């Protein structure tokens, strides 16, 4: 029998699951103090491994002015 294993893709899926749950309101406020740091650690680990990249910040655009 093969030993259980995890791949980086499994951890990316776990991170995406946490993000989806947070966006949909599936995490109660009192759970955020536990889930938030886990999300941050997963994100940092996956970013360091090159499995994900941090999204580029949206460029601020100046409002158009009419003359």
């Amino acid at each position: 029998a093969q030993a259980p294993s995890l791949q980086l893709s499994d951890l990316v899926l776990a991170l995406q699951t946490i993000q989806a749950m947070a966006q949909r309101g599936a995490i109660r406020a009192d759970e955020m103090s536990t889930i938030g740091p886990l999300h941050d650690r997963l994100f940092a680990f996956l970013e360091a491994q090159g499995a994900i990249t941090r999204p580029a910040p949206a460029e601020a655009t100046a409002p158009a002015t009419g003359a």
Side-chain angles (χ1 to χ4, degrees), residues 7-60:
Q7 304 296 318
L8 286 176
S9 60
D10 297 318
L11 296 177
V12 170
L13 180 58
L15 180 69
Q16 291 170 340
T17 301
I18 291 170
Q19 291 170 339
M21 290 172 59
Q23 288 174 348
R24 295 177 185 158
I27 300 171
R28 293 189 320 252
D30 63 322
E31 296 169 326
M32 286 300 222
S33 62
T34 302
I35 301 296
L38 172 61
H39 170 274
D40 294 345
R41 288 192 312 272
L42 266 173
F43 193 98
F45 175 79
L46 291 168
E47 187 177 38
Q49 297 300 313
I52 60 171
T53 56
R54 187 170 301 274
E59 289 188 30

